Structures are given as C-alpha cells and as structure tokens.
Amino acid sequence: MDTESTYSGYSYYSGRSRGSHRHGERSRDRDRHKSRNKDSRSEKSVTINSPPAEPLLGDSSVRGGEQVQDDNWGETTTAVTGTSEHSLSQEDIVRITKDLEDSVGLDCRRYFTLTLAVVMGLLVFLTPVAFLVLPHLLWPEKLQSCGTACEGLFISVAFKLLILLLAVWALFFRSPRAGLPRVFVFRALLAVLVLLFVMSYWLFYGVRILDTQDDNYQGIVQYAVSLVDALLFIHYLAIVLLELRQLQPCFSVCVMRSTDGEKRHYNLGQLSIQRAALAILEHYYCDFPVHNPALLSASKSRAAKHLAGLKVYNVDGPGNNAAAGMAHSQSRAMIAAAARRRDTSHNELYYEDAEHERRVRKRKARLVVAVEEAFTHIKRMQEEEQKKTPVDVMDPREAAQAIFPSMARALQKYLRTTKQQHCHSMESIQQHLAFCITNNMTPKAFLESYLSAGPTLQYSRSHWLARQWTLISDASVTSGLSDGCVFQLKCVDFSLVVTTKKIPYIQMSEEYIDPKSHKFVLRLQSETSV
C-alpha cells in the first residue's frame, strides 16, 4: 500500500514536472517564435527586395506560403485576394453589363460621328477636283486650250485646298474631350450649311456645264476657284462660332460640391448648358481638392452616437391604451432629450476638434523629422565621384526603397489621422519619393503632397475617375446659359450644383482733373512743440 502510494505520488510529481517542462519548452518556443517574427518584421521594415518590375504592394502573390505584403503598411493598402478576383455577385454582374452597354453605345456614337465627318470632308475636298477633271474625261475634244491665266488658277486652287485641309484638320479633327448628351448645335448647323452649299454647286454644275458640255475651260476653273473661296469663308465662320464667340466672359458660375460644400467661381462666355458643364468639369479636376468621403463620416458618427445614447422607458407598464400613446410619448421624450443634449454638444465638438488638431500637429512634427532624417542619407553624386564607380551606387528607385522604411510608420500614422490613407498607396509614395530624389528636391517638397490636399488630378485615376457624369437641368441642355440658370452634374458619390449669374453691364464715366490744381499750402501754427 505504501509502495503503491509512493509510486503513485512519484508518478504524479513526475507528471507535473514533465508538464512544467513541456510548458517551459512551449514558452521558450513561443518567445523564440516571437523574437523571430519581430526580427523578420524589423528586417521587412528596413529592406525592400522586390524588383522594380513587380508591384510593391504584393497583391495576392505568395512566396513560400507566406505573404510578401509589408505588415506596417497592410492596414492602409488594399490587397486583391483570390476570392475577390473570382467571385461576383448578381449586382456586380448587372453593373458590369450596364457599363459595357454604355461603353458600346458611346463608342458606336463616337465612330459614327467620326465616319460622317470623314465622308463629308472627302466630299468637300474632292468636289473642286471633280469639277476640273470631269470635262477632260467626258468631252476633251470640245474644250478650249487653257492659257497662262488658267494655269495660274490651277496653282491657286492647289494652295487654297492645302490651306483648307490644314485648317479643317486643326479645327475639327481633334481628339474628343468628352461625350456630350446632345449634338453641338453650331457644329451641326455648319455641317448642314456646307452640305447644302456643295449640293447647290453640284446642281448648278450639272445643269449649266455637264448638260451643255461647256467648252470654256477657263470659266470652269474659275467656277472651281469660287467654290474653294466660299469654303474658306465658311471655315472662317466656323472659327467665329466655335472658338471666338465664347471667349468674352458673360456669366459668372458658382460651382459647389454637395457633400462638403467646397466652392469655386468661374467666368464663362456664351455657351450652351452642356458645353458649360464640360468646361466646369475640366476646371473641377484641376482646381477642386480630391473628394474624401472619410472626412464626412466624423459628423455622421457623432450624430449617431448622440442618438444611440437616448433610450425611452415605459415606467407605467403595459396597459390597454399604452400602445396608442407610446409613439407620441417616445417622440416627445426623444425631442426633449435631444434638446437638452444639444446645449452641451458644442462643448464635445470643441474638445474633439482641439484634440484632433493636437494629434495632427504631433504626427506632422514626427513626419517632418523622419523625412528630413531620411533625406540626409541621400546625396547626389558629382561627376568626379561618378568616375570612381563606388560599390554602393544606387538608382533613384533603389534609393527610395532604401530610405522609405525609416519614414513609413510616421507617414502611415499621419495619413490615418488626416484620413488620407485610401488616397496614397505604398507604390505611389515610393514613386513620388523616387521622383523627388531624381530631381534633387527637398524634404519639404516631398511632404507637400501629403500635408495638404491637392487637386483631383494629382491622385491616381482609381480615386477620381468617374465612369459617367449625369447632367440634370430643367432647361434643354442645348440652350444657352441665362441669368439664374441652375443645373447639376451628378456622379456616384456626390454632385456639383452650378448656379449662373450674369455679369452686370458696367457704366464708366470720366472725370478730368487739371494737373495745375494740385497745389497746397503749408500752415504752421504759432505754438509748436520744442
């Protein structure tokens, strides 16, 4: 009995000792694993070994069963996983189908317009040539000889056609800036005018020259010259209507973004509503700061937090008529509680804004110091140093990859605090850093893109490019701007509200002042200070 108890006790303690030994080994393995992970993270934060041709964000590539994505930047970048690449919902399929249909419609209309313009251009340029060639093909034996004046007209027609060709190419055959919902009225009017003009010339040519087989070839050449001259005048009219008419400012438009109230003012000339909308969008991408929906979530979360803290209790308990008056009593209680809380909400807002500004200044100071320290390690090689060919010479991209980890954490925290982390990826930051190193820029020049919100075009196309803008207007979009005209430009996330005011007529008068009247007298007082 004693032996069994002794054996059992020995086995118990030995089991505990083995258990404690295993626990110690686990703890040592865990510490070793943590230290190894910490070392690997520290090595990742200072060394970037990805080649320039590969994306630095890692995406979904896996090497050796481990992700190549940097841990310190993983929360501020978007990685595409295998599920997101191959899984589509019904809404995604509908959206993709709609986008394809819209793109096909836009492409068909664009190519149809281009084809129609090419056909009309060929008709215009081949008509004078046909007027000169057809008599030689149909009745060459009846034609009179062409003298010196007639041959001089040939040179005139050739150079005028060349000038007309270059002028039409410069004015009409330009890459389209946008697809408008309606046709451009003045351009359609000019096309109809040219078509009617050429048809009338062909009608006169067929009746008076082809039917009668006129033998006066010099008169035929003068007829072709008159056609080319008229086409040049029509082109001058096109320049006046399409380019010069809109240069004089006539209206002042106020453009306001619906989400954050960002506002700009522009002066526009005599334009239709759709062309004014196109001019406003061109200014928008260059002048307006990028739309950041993360900045708008603070006020919504604050209001939701205030409403979530309000609760209504029924102290009388359920009754027969309790359900009838419950909604009315709850609404009155909610309104009263919201009114009492409104008196103190401005204090909370004040302290939240003050705390946010303090954090931004603190993160900004850390970022400035980190960037300046990183830039001190980069020095541009002089010509005499380049001849020595040292071993540690790097190109701008390698230099950017080498100094980026020392500033990555401070930049990441600053972008999080200012809610700009979705606007800047690690790849774009490294490209900007390499650009600054290549052009020998200062740390302040590098930080300017992140300390203040820049124009919309400064960021990558995925952040600002809208598939389609919708023009909403009560008046017809082909009608001209007028005083008090209001229309909207709507995209997926926000809309631009445009208000039009006519620039007033300014009456100036002249007043002449004789230069001889500028005479003054110095009056000295008898009592002066000593």
Side-chain angles (χ1 to χ4, degrees), residues 315-513:
V315 296
D316 296 331
N320 295 329
N321 297 326
M326 180 61 67
H328 181 66
S329 62
Q330 286 185 358
S331 61
R332 292 182 59 184
M334 292 284 285
I335 293 173
R340 288 192 299 270
R341 179 163 292 187
R342 194 185 307 120
D343 297 336
T344 59
S345 61
H346 64 279
N347 292 328
E348 298 178 4
L349 178 60
Y350 172 77
Y351 288 114
E352 287 179 4
D353 292 343
E355 178 64 20
H356 178 70
E357 292 177 0
R358 186 191 67 81
R359 292 179 59 193
V360 169
R361 289 196 301 268
K362 182 179 178 182
R363 299 289 170 82
K364 179 181 177 181
R366 291 181 177 177
L367 176 60
V368 171
V369 172
V371 172
E372 289 179 352
E373 290 179 353
F375 268 72
T376 57
H377 299 287
I378 300 298
K379 179 183 178 182
R380 178 178 288 273
M381 296 180 57
Q382 302 298 329
E383 293 182 359
E384 58 272 9
E385 295 180 358
Q386 292 181 3
K387 296 178 182 178
K388 300 178 182 179
T389 61
V391 181
D392 55 347
V393 175
M394 296 182 295
D395 59 3
R397 185 176 179 83
E398 293 177 350
Q401 292 178 356
I403 68 172
F404 175 71
S406 60
M407 69 175 76
R409 186 172 181 82
L411 181 58
Q412 179 190 22
K413 289 186 176 181
Y414 178 79
L415 293 179
R416 282 182 182 176
T417 305
T418 55
K419 298 189 183 303
Q420 302 181 59
Q421 67 272 17
H422 66 284
C423 298
H424 304 279
S425 62
M426 187 177 68
E427 177 67 19
S428 64
I429 294 174
Q430 289 190 357
Q431 289 178 358
H432 180 59
L433 182 58
F435 173 78
C436 294
I437 294 174
T438 304
N439 295 276
N440 199 19
M441 295 185 180
T442 61
K444 185 177 180 181
F446 167 75
L447 289 173
E448 187 62 28
S449 300
Y450 310 105
L451 298 182
S452 59
T456 308
L457 283 178
Q458 179 181 342
Y459 302 90
S460 61
R461 297 171 65 89
S462 60
H463 294 296
W464 55 262
L465 183 62
R467 175 59 185 161
Q468 186 176 6
W469 288 86
T470 303
L471 177 58
I472 302 175
S473 175
D474 295 336
S476 176
V477 295
T478 57
S479 60
L481 292 175
S482 60
D483 189 14
C485 177
V486 179
F487 58 92
Q488 292 186 15
L489 289 166
K490 189 176 182 182
C491 67
V492 179
D493 299 328
F494 59 91
S495 61
L496 300 176
V497 182
V498 183
T499 306
T500 307
K501 295 292 182 181
K502 188 175 182 180
I503 297 177
Y505 177 77
I506 300 173
Q507 179 69 36
M508 300 181 63
S509 60
E510 181 185 1
E511 181 180 357
Y512 176 74
I513 299 178

